[in-house]
Amino acid sequence: MAGRFMRAVQVAKFGTPLDVMHLTTVLQPKPGSLQVLIKITASGVNPVDTYLVEGKYATLPSLPFVPGKDGAGVVEEIGKDVTNFKVGDHVYCTFTDTGTCAEYALANSLRTFRLSSKLTLEEGAALGVPYATAYRALIHKVHAEKGQTVLVHGASGSVGLAAVQIAHAKGLKVLGTAGTTEGLDLVKKNGATHVFNHRKAGYIDEILASTGGCGVDIILEMVSHVNLNNDLILMNARGKTVIIGGCGDITVTPRLMMGKESSVTGMALANATEAEWTDISAALLNGMEADWLKPVIQKQYELDGAAQAYHDVMQTTGHLGKLIIKP
């Protein structure tokens, strides 16, 4: 029996997105025993997707490949051993087995999750990596508790806004930074108590002043190659910083950590255990149903604009939420 074809964006060689991402027609994949075939409504765009396209990541896919690891849509077909989904279910997925920059994608049933009816499929495409990253950083890595103060650097981006929403819902006092007036307003609207322009001279002093000079309990750091030494200044006694992002070197002063006995830890979502994934998906579903989890979509692209989206997620400053692609 002849296979079905679908539209997809394909990468045949590593390079800049605008040069190597091309819309084409490929065979529609068939699910294996534990896979789910999803008709993709929207694909989420993450910086890591661009790193993969450019060939600048530790583990690279075989060429050619369809990019995109996050998405949401409707279950089209399930493998023979899949018991937790049925055809027609609305789902979101992450770390997919085939790329989501396509009309259909295959996902492991363990990385496919039920989407609440309170969110659109487009909003579902913004969940995967950003919300799982933010939740794992706050809850699994530093065990954030009600009443603590958390600083989210780069809070107007997709991971940052997810962290603000989660921390606010958990009863933390949330401080957030952004680089534009629109970004600052958005961060505050999503639950931050105080916001600071990280392009303004003296903003570190403003953050310290907002804590009465005591510093913060937790810092979620998206741009560690720029901010890490300032984080060492901003942490309070036994404060904790989680490095979520960074793409360069930085000189720091370790002595800033000694007297305070503060700590810095790295985090990569790919290292999450199955128990952590179970906790993450349950917590996010609860957030959807309780109406505090609401992804912000900055811009939608058509499938033939996927290369531009992958370019923009790295080149555009002042992000205001998530970029998604509509097949």
Side-chain angles (χ1 to χ4, degrees):
M1 182 177 176
R4 296 180 178 180
F5 287 86
M6 66 176 187
R7 294 193 313 145
V9 173
Q10 194 172 70
V11 175
K13 63 178 181 179
F14 298 116
T16 60
L18 294 174
D19 291 331
V20 303
M21 293 176 65
H22 302 291
L23 185 60
T24 187
T25 301
V26 300
L27 275 173
Q28 179 180 310
K30 293 285 292 180
S33 62
L34 288 172
Q35 290 178 314
V36 179
L37 178 66
I38 302 167
K39 182 175 174 59
I40 297 295
T41 298
S43 171
V45 182
N46 299 300
V48 67
D49 297 320
T50 300
Y51 292 144
L52 289 169
V53 169
E54 293 176 338
K56 298 176 180 178
Y57 203 68
T59 303
L60 294 173
S62 300
L63 296 169
F65 72 98
V66 176
K69 290 298 184 184
D70 279 355
V74 181
V75 174
E76 180 82 4
E77 188 178 348
I78 60 174
K80 64 182 180 63
D81 295 325
V82 174
T83 59
N84 49 337
F85 297 105
K86 65 182 185 302
V87 172
D89 283 347
H90 284 205
V91 297
Y92 69 98
C93 53
T94 190
F95 289 96
T96 51
D97 295 330
T98 66
T100 57
C101 276
E103 292 178 311
Y104 295 88
L106 286 178
N108 188 307
S109 60
L110 295 176
R111 297 293 175 269
T112 305
F113 310 103
R114 186 167 74 83
L115 185 66
S116 168
S117 60
K118 293 191 175 185
L119 264 61
T120 67
L121 288 167
E122 288 79 7
E123 290 170 329
L127 290 175
V129 167
Y131 277 84
T133 295
Y135 187 89
R136 186 167 185 256
L138 276 169
I139 307 304
H140 297 154
K141 301 303 291 185
V142 296
H143 311 291
E145 296 179 352
K146 181 178 180 179
Q148 289 185 308
T149 299
V150 58
L151 170 65
V152 182
H153 268 309
S156 66
S158 56
V159 176
L161 287 171
V164 170
Q165 291 178 4
I166 293 168
H168 178 69
K170 294 288 185 181
L172 280 78
K173 178 181 178 181
V174 184
L175 314 181
T177 73
T180 65
T181 300
E182 295 83 1
L184 294 170
D185 290 343
L186 183 61
V187 173
K188 197 155 192 178
K189 180 180 177 182
N190 278 271
T193 305
H194 299 289
V195 293
F196 307 89
N197 189 330
H198 55 228
R199 296 179 183 173
K200 179 182 175 182
Y203 85 97
I204 297 298
D205 293 332
E206 292 180 0
I207 294 174
L208 274 175
S210 75
T211 69
C214 296
V216 299
D217 300 296
I218 298 165
I219 299 175
L220 299 190
E221 183 52 72
M222 317 297 171
V223 194
S224 58
H225 60 287
V226 174
N227 297 321
L228 187 57
N229 202 62
N230 286 333
D231 296 337
L232 304 189
I233 296 170
L234 288 169
M235 282 188 287
N236 62 15
R238 295 176 179 81
K240 300 174 182 177
T241 291
V242 183
I243 296 177
I244 295 174
C247 57
D249 297 330
I250 185 172
T251 300
V252 300
T253 306
R255 183 169 289 276
L256 292 170
M257 303 173 65
M258 293 169 61
K260 294 188 287 188
E261 295 190 347
S262 57
S263 61
V264 177
T265 185
M267 197 213 78
L269 184 59
N271 294 328
T273 66
E274 290 304 328
E276 288 175 333
W277 275 112
T278 298
D279 182 47
I280 290 167
S281 61
L284 297 188
L285 183 58
N286 288 338
M288 297 178 226
E289 296 292 349
D291 290 323
W292 61 256
L293 191 159
K294 195 71 172 176
V296 177
I297 306 299
Q298 179 177 2
K299 187 174 180 180
Q300 297 186 16
Y301 300 76
E302 299 300 318
L303 195 56
D304 60 6
Q308 188 65 52
Y310 275 51
H311 170 83
D312 290 349
V313 76
M314 300 302 295
Q315 301 298 323
T316 303
T317 58
H319 285 298
L320 302 172
K322 186 73 170 179
L323 307 182
I324 64 169
I325 298 165
K326 296 268 292 176

